[in-house]
Amino acid sequence: MKIIRVNMNKKTIRTEDVPQDYAGLGGRGLTSIMINAEVPPKCDPLGPENKLIFAPGSLSGTSLPNTSRISIGAKSPLTGTIKESNAGGTVAAALGRLGITAVIIEGQAPEGDFSFLRIDEKGDASLIPAQEYKGIQTYPLVEKILESYGKRTSVLCIGPAGESRLTAASIQSSDLDGRPCRAAGRGGLGAVMGAKGLKALIVDQRGKNADPIADPQAFKEAVKAITEIIKTNPMNAEVMPKVGTAGLVAPVNSMGAFPSYNARKGVLDGWEEISGERLAEIIQERGGNPTHTGCSQCIIHCSNVFVDKEGKYVTSALEYETIWSMGGMTGIADLDTIARLDNLCDNIGVDTMSTGVAVAVSMDAGYKEFGDSAAAIEMVEEIGKGSEFGKILGNGPAAVGKHFNHQRVPVVKGQSIAAYDPRGMLGNGVTFATSPMGADHTAGNVVGKYLEQKLDPLNPEGQVETSRELQITNAAADCTGLCFMAYEGLNTPEARKALLKAINAKSGTQPMLEDFLELGIRVLKAEREFNRKAGFTNEDDRLPRFFYEEPLPPHNTVFTISDEKLDSIFDF
Amino acid sequence: MKMRVKLFGTLRQRFPDYRHQQGMEVEIPDGATAKDLLSLLRISESNGAVVATEGRILKSDDRIQGRAHVNVLQAMHGG
């Protein structure tokens, strides 16, 4: 239970015990509560007062499956709000095994000065000059890092976009194969890392100093029960390993809520060509891997490895949100193009969602035609080259809208929506509007409730309440390191009991289910408090006008949740 | 009446002769509901299977008569 504080201008490293105020926290809970306490809300997100915090979940590094999410937090340069973006891969488990609760990057290196922060197998941290790696893309960077430090090394890093402080820049996370293909994409945290002068965080995976488990026997029993529940859950045991998150392309198009052609339609022409089922078929035919394990401790295997017609690696993993942004929004119903765009984004270090939507906004403004694959690839390559237009694109859809003086920009608080149109899935619109993170599907995604027929996506009744419930439970789950799929698989009373048993056995405390939900509320309160102090008001919790005015085919409906209802969501 | 059914997720694996481009033709009795169709296909609702048509997920008791084409999907969370 230790925190490593790194000052980038003084090049000092201090290790301290976790202060009482942060005791028991992990993941998003730790990053958000710490930022609210330590970062001046009105500070420049790319200045020395901002802090970049890496925090594994409270259960990361244990034997509990699917607990390998790393939360990364800061004040966002994209939204101006507090931000937590989490990623899979291997680093959360590596930090957990070293007993490291958080790594906090403070201050700012002189302009153009870059370092690695390396944590060795004993948990000792050191700053290493990394000038020679300046400008390098993430795949060759990680290859060189693994050559130097060995294969059992986890990496979080930025590409050229982060170095250039572009506000859609991501932080890429290495997977079990040592590829930087997982991403903390949202909120432009790669730009914060670049502004700090940190090119990569490098963590040895061989640590053996994990925090002790208070009740090992009870923990073992909980792990056994949870493993069994995940393995028998139909979504996690059957659908995810076969089609991955891309399995959502069919249901969301079938519901007319797949934002297409920059959210002009709710169904993409030719969507079956980019469906999860087609993706699995293509990968299988070409000898790729449709059932890939990307993250430490994973027993779901939702990842995939996409290869070209010659069987050569293109990207991993092709996910639903990327397929939507690069395919649906741009009108490009071609998986080869989408896979190429995904790899370009990972290598340059930009969020695939913001980038796809930025390309779509430029197409909508008349810069290029929807469906033009070559144009989309050229545009994204511009980001890597650092051209003037590339910089605009790399700053996300709002910057592109401003450049073309184009009003149809699907963002909230500067961040693009995700793959669910607010007019076809009202509850997702509520989450996009009100999440303290800006438009963010991971904050409270209602799509599962619609598919389970617990809620009608077009009826305003119950949408705010459902979004609230999900935003609270997701905020709590984001503290544990559990991936979203595993957490969703644990949504029965029996499963929740097993999860609580694991948390209690790990920490030696006795929180009840209400306390777990209370944690979610505590996190949301801290995030909202930070945003208020940063100058955000209820007026910022709104969708762009066109969602209220422009009917979406095929249902030809608009977003109908009133401002008053939206403002009531966090009455707690 | 006859209707064309397309299967998504892992459902198609249950039908070795299934060709996705064409889907499968299913004969349903008059007044059949979404639940009846799933039962005819021996697909259990407890596995999260749902029937979608014309942009809507049908409730179990919704009639499917008069629809030329439906998709059978598996519920999932995302994404």
Side-chain angles (χ1 to χ4, degrees):
Chain A
M1 279 183 280
K2 62 178 181 181
I3 285 177
I4 296 174
R5 284 188 192 264
V6 182
N7 187 299
M8 295 302 289
N9 46 321
K10 293 181 189 156
K11 297 274 193 289
T12 54
I13 296 172
R14 200 174 78 232
T15 301
E16 60 189 47
D17 291 334
V18 176
Q20 195 50 41
D21 287 351
Y22 305 137
L25 293 172
R28 175 177 168 185
L30 191 67
T31 63
S32 288
I33 288 167
M34 200 177 258
I35 288 162
N36 187 38
E38 298 188 12
V39 173
K42 290 191 187 290
C43 75
D44 174 3
L46 301 178
E49 290 179 311
N50 200 4
K51 297 188 183 190
L52 182 68
I53 305 174
F54 302 96
S58 57
L59 296 168
S60 300
T62 69
S63 56
L64 195 73
N66 290 81
T67 50
S68 297
R69 303 297 293 187
I70 180 86
S71 286
I72 307 176
K75 178 177 174 176
S76 162
L78 184 73
T79 63
T81 66
I82 198 166
K83 190 75 203 174
E84 183 263 2
S85 183
N86 64 65
T90 58
V91 72
L95 288 169
R97 284 197 289 268
L98 288 164
I100 296 171
T101 306
V103 178
I104 306 165
I105 311 297
E106 302 176 340
Q108 191 160 35
E111 179 87 34
D113 178 48
F114 284 95
S115 302
F116 291 155
L117 176 66
R118 184 181 174 233
I119 304 175
D120 67 18
E121 66 179 300
K122 289 179 186 151
D124 294 330
S126 54
L127 279 168
I128 301 161
Q131 287 308 101
E132 62 189 290
Y133 299 101
K134 208 173 150 188
I136 191 171
Q137 298 200 333
T138 66
Y139 272 69
L141 172 71
V142 171
E143 220 173 284
K144 285 179 191 298
I145 289 172
L146 297 190
E147 271 169 26
S148 300
Y149 299 105
K151 296 237 174 280
R152 296 193 64 189
T153 300
S154 299
V155 184
L156 288 173
C157 63
I158 56 169
E163 288 179 29
S164 302
R165 307 177 185 191
L166 302 184
T167 55
S170 60
I171 297 175
Q172 296 296 129
S173 174
S174 63
D175 72 352
L176 280 171
D177 298 331
R179 289 175 173 136
C181 56
R182 324 294 310 184
R186 312 248 64 200
L189 299 185
V192 179
M193 193 158 158
K196 297 285 175 210
L198 184 65
K199 180 72 178 167
L201 170 63
I202 301 167
V203 184
D204 198 302
Q205 295 173 0
R206 296 169 298 178
K208 291 190 179 101
N209 308 317
D211 296 337
I213 288 173
D215 185 345
Q217 185 54 34
F219 192 78
K220 203 172 156 187
E221 287 164 11
V223 169
K224 196 177 167 201
I226 288 169
T227 304
E228 186 61 23
I229 292 164
I230 292 175
K231 280 187 167 172
T232 52
N233 173 271
M235 177 179 84
N236 288 329
E238 200 182 325
V239 184
M240 280 296 153
K242 296 285 184 207
V243 293
T245 58
L248 274 168
V249 173
V252 180
N253 274 282
S254 297
M255 286 191 269
F258 191 69
S260 304
Y261 313 100
N262 196 34
R264 286 192 179 272
K265 290 182 180 179
V267 179
L268 174 72
D269 298 333
W271 63 262
E272 288 197 39
E273 279 306 305
I274 61 166
S275 66
E277 295 77 8
R278 184 72 190 122
L279 175 67
E281 264 173 21
I282 290 177
I283 293 175
Q284 196 85 52
E285 282 163 16
R286 296 178 180 178
N289 187 358
T291 310
H292 178 244
T293 309
C295 305
S296 303
Q297 306 289 124
C298 173
I299 59 168
I300 295 176
H301 321 298
C302 75
S303 177
N304 56 54
V305 177
F306 189 91
V307 296
D308 65 15
K309 286 170 186 160
E310 279 73 50
K312 200 174 147 214
Y313 176 86
V314 178
T315 200
S316 176
L318 211 44
E319 305 270 5
Y320 172 64
E321 300 293 341
T322 301
I323 290 172
W324 157 75
S325 64
M326 294 296 185
M329 287 295 270
T330 60
I332 298 171
D334 175 50
L335 285 170
D336 283 300
T337 302
I338 295 167
R340 169 91 182 107
L341 290 166
D342 183 50
N343 180 259
L344 274 174
C345 287
D346 287 352
N347 234 331
I348 296 164
V350 275
D351 176 23
T352 57
M353 294 168 69
S354 288
T355 305
V357 175
V359 169
V361 169
S362 75
M363 288 174 164
D364 203 28
Y367 180 62
K368 298 284 175 184
E369 293 289 315
F370 282 119
D372 188 338
S373 295
I377 289 171
E378 265 171 43
M379 276 193 259
V380 175
E381 282 174 341
E382 290 291 317
I383 307 175
K385 289 176 191 161
S387 69
E388 280 313 303
F389 184 70
K391 283 180 190 160
I392 293 164
L393 204 66
N395 279 324
V400 171
K402 200 172 163 194
H403 174 72
F404 288 112
N405 195 21
H406 187 66
Q407 304 304 310
R408 293 188 78 265
V409 182
V411 299
V412 179
K413 303 182 183 77
Q415 180 167 271
S416 81
I417 64 160
Y420 318 85
D421 198 292
R423 294 160 291 183
M425 290 186 179
L426 293 171
N428 280 61
V430 173
T431 299
F432 294 158
T434 59
S435 163
M437 303 287 160
D440 189 329
H441 65 292
T442 66
N445 192 344
V446 191
V447 66
K449 302 282 181 195
Y450 302 138
L451 279 165
E452 288 171 351
Q453 301 178 73
K454 289 180 177 155
L455 199 62
D456 179 343
L458 301 176
N459 182 347
E461 202 66 36
Q463 307 289 346
V464 168
E465 294 75 9
T466 305
S467 172
R468 176 194 298 134
E469 179 201 322
L470 290 172
Q471 289 199 56
I472 292 169
T473 56
N474 285 6
D478 284 344
C479 299
T480 63
L482 271 168
C483 77
F484 181 77
M485 303 307 157
Y487 184 68
E488 275 306 322
L490 299 174
N491 64 5
T492 62
E494 181 207 352
R496 289 283 195 259
K497 225 166 107 184
L499 178 58
L500 269 182
K501 185 173 174 176
I503 294 169
N504 292 345
K506 164 93 196 301
S507 62
T509 54
Q510 291 297 317
M512 308 298 284
L513 182 60
E514 300 73 41
D515 300 310
F516 185 63
L517 297 180
E518 199 54 48
L519 173 63
I521 292 173
R522 186 182 164 200
V523 173
L524 286 167
K525 276 183 175 172
E527 291 168 348
R528 300 229 346 136
E529 186 179 284
F530 182 92
N531 288 353
R532 270 199 305 278
K533 288 186 287 184
F536 288 85
T537 68
N538 285 349
E539 293 308 306
D540 297 295
D541 290 346
R542 304 287 182 261
L543 297 175
R545 282 314 312 167
F546 77 90
F547 287 120
Y548 296 87
E549 293 167 351
E550 197 182 296
L552 178 77
H555 297 298
N556 296 312
T557 51
V558 295
F559 185 71
T560 51
I561 309 289
S562 69
D563 292 351
E564 292 71 27
K565 273 297 265 182
L566 289 177
D567 294 343
S568 72
I569 190 163
F570 293 123
D571 282 345
F572 46 57
Chain B
M1 74 171 265
K2 284 181 179 165
M3 74 174 13
R4 189 138 310 265
V5 178
K6 282 200 166 187
L7 304 171
F8 291 89
T10 57
L11 297 172
R12 60 182 72 176
Q13 292 171 4
R14 302 168 189 218
F15 303 89
D17 298 333
Y18 177 78
R19 293 287 170 272
H20 188 68
Q21 201 121 22
Q22 296 83 41
M24 60 200 287
E25 200 172 65
V26 178
E27 178 87 41
I28 54 153
D30 286 349
T33 62
K35 191 179 180 176
D36 295 332
L37 174 66
L38 293 178
S39 164
L40 201 68
L41 296 172
R42 301 187 181 187
I43 295 172
S44 166
E45 277 184 288
S46 64
N47 276 344
V50 291
V51 179
T53 186
E54 294 165 9
R56 302 298 298 248
I57 302 289
L58 299 181
K59 291 196 185 328
S60 287
D61 295 330
D62 284 346
R63 289 189 174 203
I64 50 174
Q65 205 168 4
R67 329 258 187 178
H69 170 239
V70 300
N71 291 337
V72 181
L73 309 156
Q74 283 168 306
M76 57 188 290
H77 294 256

